Amino acid sequence: MKRYFILLLLLGINLSLVAQDSPSENLRLGMFFTLDKNVSSDFVATFEDIGFSADYHKINYKAGLSAEYFLKNRFSLNSGVNYSNKNFTGTFTCATCLSISPWGPETIELQFIEIPVSIKYYFALGKLNMYADLGLINQYAIATEIFNRKYIISGKLGCGIEYNFNPKLAFQFFTEYNNGLTNMFEESDFKLKTISLGFGLVKKR
């Protein structure tokens, strides 16, 4: 856990220094929306053999704002803030219990405020650019019914295509994979895993 906090601290310091030294034309602000597919384990273990059988067919999504600072050699530092809905349907299951569970399927609310920190690398192709994205996501739970950790960290790996309408406005279409680095429970090793498909608009100041 300590190494994640150290990495976040270093990225935050670097981002702060870039913000102070970079001219305004190196800054882009934007907004984005994604549809997310939860690909976590089908069994959400809350304690050993006790937990919920999960059905991830509910629509999950993220929506938020982004900020990007361009560095040299086609690299950029990225952050922002977004709301993330990861609700799913769960049925209580106890493999070691003698009685049959009286509960049926129910909606398990799981929602976050997220602050991502990442580095992008761009492949310049004229008006159409491609990029790779690697970083961490700080996830603060604002609605959770069964999870006892309110703050987790996930890794982020993604790629995207960007079309420049003009020198200041661009459209992005991207996909990313998020993999939990910290457990959702103190008593089990369940981690969140999601695949996202999204789009966004970014604009230079």
Side-chain angles (χ1 to χ4, degrees):
M1 175 69 74
K2 288 183 179 179
R3 65 180 182 271
Y4 301 139
F5 287 116
I6 293 172
L7 180 57
L8 283 172
L9 179 60
L10 292 175
L11 287 173
I13 292 172
N14 201 354
L15 186 61
S16 177
L17 292 175
V18 171
Q20 294 174 10
D21 297 339
S22 299
S24 60
E25 60 265 22
N26 286 354
L27 171 66
R28 292 202 304 186
L29 302 177
M31 60 183 67
F32 67 91
F33 177 84
T34 73
L35 289 175
D36 304 336
K37 173 62 178 177
N38 196 327
V39 293
S40 306
S41 171
D42 291 336
F43 180 67
V44 182
T46 58
F47 183 78
E48 295 182 352
D49 295 328
I50 301 174
F52 289 81
S53 295
D55 180 351
Y56 297 120
H57 291 154
K58 287 186 175 294
I59 296 176
N60 289 173
Y61 61 91
K62 294 194 295 281
L65 304 174
S66 63
E68 180 175 24
Y69 292 98
F70 280 95
L71 308 173
K72 296 180 180 180
N73 301 321
R74 301 179 182 175
F75 283 97
S76 71
L77 287 175
N78 298 261
S79 190
V81 62
N82 65 266
Y83 166 80
S84 175
N85 183 303
K86 291 180 169 57
N87 293 352
F88 63 94
T89 299
T91 303
F92 180 76
T93 301
C94 177
T96 58
C97 296
L98 297 178
S99 59
I100 299 176
S101 171
W103 296 282
E106 59 180 304
T107 296
I108 306 299
E109 292 190 354
L110 184 57
Q111 299 158 30
F112 296 94
I113 294 296
E114 299 180 338
I115 300 177
V117 180
S118 70
I119 296 176
K120 286 182 180 179
Y121 179 79
Y122 283 85
F123 303 87
L125 303 172
K127 281 192 172 184
L128 189 65
N129 299 325
M130 299 181 65
Y131 63 84
D133 189 16
L134 177 66
L136 300 174
I137 305 174
N138 298 279
Q139 298 172 282
Y140 303 88
I142 57 174
T144 173
E145 296 183 356
I146 64 173
F147 300 98
N148 54 24
R149 282 191 170 157
K150 305 299 183 183
Y151 169 68
I152 61 171
I153 300 175
S154 291
K156 172 184 177 181
L157 177 63
C159 61
I161 298 174
E162 177 181 291
Y163 178 80
N164 296 292
F165 294 111
N166 55 53
K168 287 195 172 183
L169 183 65
F171 173 82
Q172 293 181 335
F173 182 77
F174 59 91
T175 183
E176 66 181 40
Y177 172 69
N178 298 335
N179 185 67
L181 300 177
T182 52
N183 300 335
M184 290 295 300
F185 298 95
E186 296 178 359
E187 300 84 4
S188 78
D189 61 355
F190 177 81
K191 296 180 176 68
L192 284 175
K193 299 178 182 180
T194 59
I195 296 174
S196 302
L197 191 65
F199 63 89
L201 285 173
V202 291
K203 185 178 185 301
K204 284 187 178 182
R205 290 181 59 182

